[in-house]
Amino acid sequence: GEDVEQSLFLSVREGDSSVINCTYTDSSSTYLYWYKQEPGAGLQLLTYIFSNMDMKQDQRLTVLLNKKDKHLSLRIADTQTGDSAIYFCAECPSTTSGTYKYIFGTGTRLKVLA
Amino acid sequence: KAGVTQTPRYLIKTRGQQVTLSCSPISGHRSVSWYQQTPGQGLQFLFEYFSETQRNKGNFPGRFSGRQFSNSRSEMNVSTLELGDSALYLCASSLAAGADTQYFGPGTRLTVL
């Protein structure tokens, strides 16, 4: 199917690490993405990983990719209250007509407790 | 470089009316995609335009339409509004069509009464 799955909620204490998980559907996606959405705002691109990589680190963010299990995760180190938001993973597989279409996960609401 | 802009940011309409939303992509970007975001359905793809041509379309009724102009700006139109059309409409731009990285605007919040 087309569903990209994420857990709905995650609550962590300030200073701890957060790990947000995603299971995607299509191994033809060249890139896999993580977006952040704060209340009342659009989606902000956080980071992305090329499909032939296992890991990518970008400051406090670490993305892990397990292609065999179609599993993507985003780790946020030293989580801050400003990290409270909804996080979306996204894949962009090719379609039967040869075009590409982004598919977004359901979003994980991260709540950081002070 | 300015980001993706969307106008208006907020809109209130009544059932049966029609509405037009506008999106200006990042300078140099030629592809514009539209999404509908609702609490129940999440982010759903509406359509993608590149060089004034619709390249891809989601599963929405014909009441939802769009177009792109030669300067890459895009508009989407919803006719005969229904209560269920209340949503955040997001526009994303990318350099090229297809699998290129998308950058989102702040969205237009549409409320249908």
Side-chain angles (χ1 to χ4, degrees), chain B residues 56-100:
Chain B
N56 220 337
K57 191 176 187 308
N59 297 323
F60 278 82
R63 300 185 297 109
F64 291 81
S65 62
R67 60 179 175 167
Q68 187 180 34
F69 301 95
S70 58
N71 62 357
S72 296
R73 189 177 71 85
S74 177
E75 288 181 347
M76 67 162 280
N77 184 77
V78 188
S79 62
T80 321
L81 283 165
E82 301 177 0
L83 295 179
D85 297 333
S86 294
L88 181 66
Y89 289 88
L90 293 162
C91 160
S93 80
S94 55
L95 270 171
D100 206 12

Side-chain angles (χ1 to χ4, degrees), chain A residues 9-62:
Chain A
F9 298 103
L10 176 65
S11 180
V12 300
R13 295 215 170 272
E14 192 174 20
D16 287 350
S17 292
S18 309
V19 179
I20 302 171
N21 295 301
C22 169
T23 303
Y24 61 97
T25 61
D26 195 317
S27 56
S28 72
S29 297
T30 304
Y31 291 97
L32 294 141
Y33 300 88
W34 283 103
Y35 286 86
K36 174 184 180 184
Q37 186 178 35
E38 297 185 61
L43 273 66
Q44 173 196 348
L45 177 67
L46 278 180
T47 188
Y48 58 89
I49 187 167
F50 191 48
S51 59
N52 70 351
M53 296 171 66
D54 297 326
M55 185 183 89
K56 179 181 178 183
Q57 189 149 359
D58 186 358
Q59 299 182 338
R60 292 191 297 123
L61 305 177
T62 303

Side-chain angles (χ1 to χ4, degrees), chain B residues 4-85:
Chain B
V4 179
T5 57
Q6 292 187 244
T7 56
R9 291 293 313 278
Y10 303 91
L11 208 46
I12 299 176
K13 292 285 188 180
T14 55
R15 276 180 299 173
Q17 287 187 309
Q18 76 160 17
V19 68
T20 299
L21 313 181
S22 180
C23 171
S24 292
I26 292 170
S27 177
H29 284 196
R30 295 171 62 194
S31 176
V32 173
S33 296
W34 288 90
Y35 296 85
Q36 181 196 65
Q37 186 179 28
T38 58
Q41 298 296 319
L43 266 162
Q44 293 192 289
F45 171 74
L46 280 155
F47 24 66
E48 179 192 15
Y49 286 88
F50 178 76
S51 292
E52 302 177 67
T53 301
Q54 187 181 88
R55 283 182 51 90
N56 220 337
K57 191 176 187 308
N59 297 323
F60 278 82
R63 300 185 297 109
F64 291 81
S65 62
R67 60 179 175 167
Q68 187 180 34
F69 301 95
S70 58
N71 62 357
S72 296
R73 189 177 71 85
S74 177
E75 288 181 347
M76 67 162 280
N77 184 77
V78 188
S79 62
T80 321
L81 283 165
E82 301 177 0
L83 295 179
D85 297 333

